[in-house]
Structures are given as structure tokens and as C-alpha cells.
Amino acid sequence: SSYAFSPNTRQSVAIGLMGGLLLGLVIAVARESLDTRVRGADDLPEGVRIIAEVEDERRLESKHRWSRGVSKERASAIRTESYRKLRTNLRFLNVDNPVRVLVITSSLAGEGKSTTAIELSRVLAESGERVLLIDGDLRQPKVASYLGLEGSVGLADILAGTADVSAVTQEWGAAGLSVLASGSIPPNPSELLGSRAFADLVAKLRGEFDHVIIDSPPLLPVTDASVASVVADGVVVVIRHGRTTQRQVKTAADSLAAVEARILGAVINATP
């Protein structure tokens, strides 16, 4: 004999929807647990604190927005205020022993360390302080090109004994920010930054400027930033929101701790 079969469409749809929702929930939870990208303070290793957050700059002009003398398009009011907050926080970290020589670095390239170094130097100079920005990235320098300055002679040439610091230091902007480009690309960047000549140069510049900001290479590929941090009062690590991983920040922090560098904190760049 045969029996008529009538499918329960409503029940099947309901089961399908519930199954889909459950699967989506499982995927979302798995993705959240496996995603180790840094998005806030809870994602940072112990001992590393956030000292500033800077908004996403995609809606602003490209990295070439700077030119000699006057910036073509000033950063938005929110971004400028973020760097002023960074300036203020650095001043209050230790009022009895203020930070005067500062290394700015990151875990990997592309996280905004050079932009941070430039903007921090700019707001410090605008407050009336004598500021020298040094491009200490002797491998892939960016400061001179970003600011529209001559970069063929600079730090590397001074350390090699072929140039004088007063002759190659350049002025930028109405506030009187001084800039020392990286200069010639040397075959031994780490050795130069770890040399007695570099330590002596930084000691000399301490007496001539209120702040010396050193833009250095990222920490994970090379040791340059760790070496340079030995002569600095502290290090700021720039992290790109949603890109830099917790492991990368931890490894970078460990490399600085190995040379007993003082990690002042982190700047979370490109926040939503």
C-alpha cells in the first residue's frame, strides 16, 4: 500500500534557520577567540599601557600632505588633539625626571611610527620648545621625504665623521622644528646606532634641545631600535589598531626589556 507524504515546510524552515544561527554563532565565537589583533588595552602585554589613541587617517590626505614650511592640509582637530594628549601624557610620566630623548618605534613597518614621530615633534615645537627630530631609520628613511627636505646627508654621515651636525640640521615649519635626516644608507646601521659616536652625539644634543625625538626602524626585523633606546630616556611603541598582533607586541616589548629600555607606553594608531 502507499501513503501520501506532505512535508512540514514551516518546521523545516525553522530548523534550517536555527541551524544557520547556531553555525554562525560558532563561527563568530571561534573567530573572536582566534583573533589576536590588538584593539585595546586588554590586548597589550603586562607593563605596556596606552598613552594615546589616534583616529584612522584614511579620510585625510596621503602621507605626502607635508611640505616645506607649511603643511598642505593640517591633521583634523581630533587627530591634532590626540598628539597633544600624547605630548601631555609624556610630560606627566615622570615630572622629576622628564623625558627628553625619546625613541619611537613599532613592531613592524607600516604601523605609523614615522607619522607619530613627525606629529609629536610638531606639537612639541608649537608649544615653544626646542625640538630636534632625528630620522634614525638608516635602512628605509621616510622623514625627509615626508617633510619635503633634503635627505642625502644626515645622521649616518655625522657618525661616519664626514659631516657636522650643525651643517646638516634643517629647519621645518613656522614653529622652528629642527630636523636631522638619516643621510647616506650605511652597510652597518645597527653598529652605527650602537657606537660611542652616536651616544656622544645624543649627549651633545641633550644640551642644545628640550626634546630629541628619534624615529627608528621597527623592532622585529632588526635590532636598531633596541640599540638606539639605550641612550634614550624612553621608548614609545606605535601599534596599528586591528593589524598588529598581541604576539608581535609582546616580542617587541621583550626585545626592549632585554636591553633594559624604558617602555613609556603605546600609541594605538588608526583607531576607528
Side-chain angles (χ1 to χ4, degrees):
S1 61
S2 60
Y3 299 91
F5 174 74
S6 177
N8 190 333
T9 305
R10 183 176 298 178
Q11 184 182 38
S12 299
V13 170
I15 292 174
L17 286 173
M18 290 180 63
L21 288 172
L22 180 61
L23 178 61
L25 179 62
V26 170
I27 293 174
V29 171
R31 179 179 296 176
E32 184 70 21
S33 62
L34 294 174
D35 187 359
T36 62
R37 291 175 291 182
V38 174
R39 291 186 172 85
D42 293 339
D43 300 325
L44 297 179
E46 184 178 357
V48 180
R49 56 188 167 182
I50 297 177
I51 53 177
E53 294 183 75
V54 183
E55 70 167 9
D56 194 337
E57 63 179 308
R58 286 177 295 181
R59 64 188 176 88
L60 301 179
E61 200 176 1
S62 70
K63 66 183 180 181
H64 301 294
R65 62 183 177 273
W66 294 287
S67 65
R68 176 183 286 274
V70 181
S71 55
K72 292 181 181 178
E73 181 179 343
R74 297 290 296 272
S76 71
I78 295 176
R79 281 177 58 82
T80 300
E81 194 60 34
S82 297
Y83 292 112
R84 287 176 180 155
K85 179 180 179 181
L86 172 59
R87 177 189 65 192
T88 301
N89 288 343
L90 288 172
R91 285 173 175 168
F92 280 99
L93 283 176
N94 191 336
V95 293
D96 293 326
N97 187 23
V99 175
R100 298 187 58 200
V101 179
L102 176 66
V103 167
I104 295 184
T105 185
S106 59
S107 299
L108 297 172
E111 297 186 87
K113 64 177 183 60
S114 296
T115 299
T116 301
I118 291 171
E119 294 286 11
L120 175 60
S121 299
R122 182 175 63 82
V123 296
L124 283 169
E126 286 180 350
S127 68
E129 301 188 66
R130 299 170 300 165
V131 182
L132 175 65
L133 170 60
I134 299 177
D135 193 341
D137 191 338
L138 303 182
R139 300 173 189 268
Q140 294 182 321
K142 295 182 175 65
V143 170
S145 62
Y146 282 10
L147 295 177
L149 297 174
E150 173 59 45
S152 61
V153 182
L155 176 61
D157 306 279
I158 295 170
L159 299 180
T162 58
D164 182 74
V165 61
S166 60
V168 298
T169 299
Q170 304 173 71
E171 297 296 313
W172 182 87
L177 170 64
S178 299
V179 180
L180 179 59
S182 63
S184 306
I185 302 298
N188 56 340
S190 294
E191 287 78 1
L192 284 180
L193 294 175
S195 66
R196 171 53 60 183
F198 181 67
D200 291 344
L201 174 63
V202 172
K204 175 178 182 293
L205 296 172
R206 276 182 183 272
E208 300 177 3
F209 294 91
D210 297 312
H211 296 282
V212 177
I213 311 298
I214 305 172
D215 177 27
S216 65
L219 285 157
L220 299 192
V222 293
T223 62
D224 301 21
S226 297
V227 171
S229 67
V230 173
V231 298
D233 299 323
V235 181
V236 167
V237 179
V238 178
I239 298 168
R240 194 167 186 88
H241 181 279
R243 179 192 294 180
T244 313
T245 67
Q246 297 173 32
R247 179 181 292 275
Q248 289 167 347
V249 177
K250 177 67 164 58
T251 303
D254 288 345
S255 68
L256 291 171
V259 295
E260 300 182 349
R262 179 187 176 198
I263 303 176
L264 301 173
V267 172
I268 308 294
N269 199 28
T271 57

